[in-house]
Amino acid sequence: MEPRTCQVELGENSYEIRIGEGVLDSAGAEIRSIYTGKKALVLTDENVYALYGGRLQAALAGVGIRPVFKIVPPGEGHKTMQTLAEILSALAGGGFTREELLIAFGGGVPGDMGGFAAACYMRGIRYVQIPTTLLAQVDSSVGGKTGVDLPEGKNLAGAFWQPRLVLADTDVLATLDDRQFASGMAEVIKYGCIFSKELFGLLEEYPDREKLQKKLPDVICRCCELKRDVVQRDEKETGERMLLNFGHTFGHAIEKLGGYETHTHGEGVAMGMVLAAHTGERLGLHGPKEAERIAALCQSFGLPVKPPYPVTEIPKLAAIDKKAEADGVKLILLNGLGKAGVYPMPLPRFEALMQEVEQG
């Protein structure tokens, strides 16, 4: 079956997202269509390299591109300024010029760091995303948001830097364990919550990994289209694109409370979406059914829905999140399933709301 193509129109920064079975094996030809050079730095982690490094190397070598692999340890705990410096040194030490290419090959961590390194090195070089997790295929590889974590919070250092191409091979998702697959499903559920009641309903019809399998390429493509539409209207997150942060202000705080090792990003987002729905309910934006349906759908895919920490700790951590404002935060809350809005929230009011949620 021919890969599905989703075109992101951003003027001179436009690019294609190619989604389908076996896309990894045709990655060389796909990349050659946008790159005439002879080498590429491939940033990946140990797990992805062991599974798929040989296939990507063969695909690139087949079109005359020599891959130079920079392999980093897996996990959010390594998405640091130190790792970023190592990537930049690998580019400099390898003699890479502004005309050459970086390939981010893996999940959201290599994707975020690879994109940021590409944005920084020599003030910007081109890069390609080859996401290998569901979360990266539906969300983090698309839209040009890059970054690394600081001790004070998640993704506090970063840049907007669009890839030249995104290649999403749906076959590689078969090697994801159930926890990582579920982590990606949190972002899929997010798209249904904020933009598409129809997508949310489809997920309720196919409420586990096995049932959803035959619909998965269509679901991935639909998520990419929804994000593409928003990115085209608001590339630098000054307005509508903020809606994509639904569940994330809460989720990033939960991830930090767990030391970025206890919870996956998707688990944090799942718990964050349920908390956001409870918050919207208390503000009278919608009734209780939204939180109930979101929680039930998350649980059907094996996601947690209640953080193991007092939610009263979330506001102080959210206050240093990159989405914070001088006197509070901007919360993304629902106006019913499929609709969302941005709600500035003074910190004392946010703290009071979390007290109410904590007390049930």
Side-chain angles (χ1 to χ4, degrees):
M1 184 182 294
E2 278 292 308
R4 296 160 174 80
T5 298
C6 178
Q7 180 74 23
V8 182
E9 296 287 356
L10 294 169
E12 64 180 14
N13 294 324
S14 298
Y15 56 94
E16 283 187 352
I17 307 165
R18 303 277 280 166
I19 305 159
E21 301 166 351
V23 169
L24 179 58
D25 296 313
S26 61
E30 296 280 5
I31 291 170
R32 182 52 85 199
S33 71
I34 57 103
Y35 177 56
T36 60
K38 295 182 179 180
K39 66 179 178 180
L41 185 88
V42 180
L43 175 66
T44 190
D45 68 36
E46 295 162 354
N47 295 338
V48 175
Y49 181 77
L51 287 167
Y52 300 114
R55 285 174 61 184
L56 180 59
Q57 183 165 8
L60 294 171
V63 295
I65 298 174
R66 177 172 64 88
V68 178
F69 283 91
K70 171 60 180 173
I71 303 168
V72 299
E76 187 79 23
H78 298 283
K79 199 173 87 172
T80 64
M81 293 297 288
Q82 178 181 339
T83 308
L84 176 67
E86 292 173 5
I87 299 165
L88 294 173
S89 291
L91 286 162
F96 281 83
T97 70
R98 292 189 70 179
E99 301 307 312
E100 289 171 318
L101 181 73
L102 185 150
I103 299 171
F105 182 40
V109 174
D112 285 354
M113 289 195 300
F116 192 24
C120 294
Y121 185 65
M122 293 190 174
R123 298 189 177 94
I125 63 171
R126 73 194 83 186
Y127 83 110
V128 168
Q129 287 269 15
I130 307 181
T132 60
T133 65
L134 179 59
L135 190 151
Q137 290 188 5
V138 301
D139 192 70
S140 59
S141 69
V142 179
K145 285 174 73 171
T146 72
V148 298
D149 302 336
L150 301 181
E152 292 78 12
K154 188 177 170 74
N155 292 329
L156 289 180
F160 287 97
W161 193 247
Q162 298 294 342
R164 295 299 178 94
L165 179 68
V166 179
L167 301 173
D169 189 332
T170 55
D171 282 347
V172 305
L173 302 180
T175 55
L176 292 181
D177 62 32
D178 287 341
R179 188 182 184 195
Q180 288 300 321
F181 185 86
S183 184
M185 283 306 303
E187 294 286 358
V188 175
I189 293 167
K190 177 196 77 175
Y191 285 109
C193 288
I194 59 177
F195 291 137
S196 176
K197 196 173 182 179
E198 293 74 23
L199 175 60
F200 194 95
L202 175 69
L203 298 176
E204 288 181 318
E205 288 181 41
Y206 299 90
D208 61 46
R209 182 175 185 173
E210 183 178 356
K211 292 185 177 72
L212 188 64
Q213 195 61 41
K214 61 184 177 183
K215 293 284 186 181
L216 197 54
D218 293 328
V219 167
I220 293 170
C221 190
R222 183 60 182 140
C223 290
C224 288
E225 288 171 345
L226 289 167
K227 184 165 187 179
R228 180 270 317 272
D229 292 346
V230 174
V231 170
Q232 286 179 170
R233 293 190 293 265
D234 181 20
E235 183 182 358
K236 299 295 178 69
E237 198 176 32
T238 58
E240 183 185 6
R241 188 169 177 175
M242 292 181 190
L243 299 180
L244 294 169
N245 293 319
F246 177 64
H248 285 59
T249 299
F250 298 89
H252 286 172
I254 293 166
E255 286 182 79
K256 183 169 176 58
L257 286 167
Y260 297 120
E261 295 290 343
T262 305
H263 314 290
T264 68
H265 175 65
E267 289 168 351
V269 169
M271 291 182 275
M273 289 190 295
V274 175
L275 279 173
H278 284 307
T279 302
E281 178 188 340
R282 278 163 174 75
L283 291 172
L285 301 176
H286 54 74
K289 288 186 178 179
E290 280 74 6
E292 293 169 8
R293 288 178 69 183
I294 294 168
L297 187 55
C298 287
Q299 287 176 314
S300 75
F301 284 98
L303 288 160
V305 296
K306 186 174 182 181
Y309 318 104
V311 299
T312 50
E313 295 187 31
I314 288 176
K316 64 183 179 184
L317 296 175
I320 57 170
D321 189 85
K322 63 186 182 301
K323 294 175 285 294
E325 297 183 303
D327 58 349
V329 297
K330 287 182 177 178
L331 295 182
I332 311 305
L333 303 174
L334 299 182
N335 300 302
L337 279 174
K339 297 179 291 183
V342 181
Y343 292 87
M345 186 72 57
L347 195 57
R349 178 60 174 139
F350 190 17
E351 290 172 336
L353 283 166
M354 289 302 94
Q355 286 280 1
E356 293 178 26
V357 171
E358 181 74 25
Q359 293 165 7

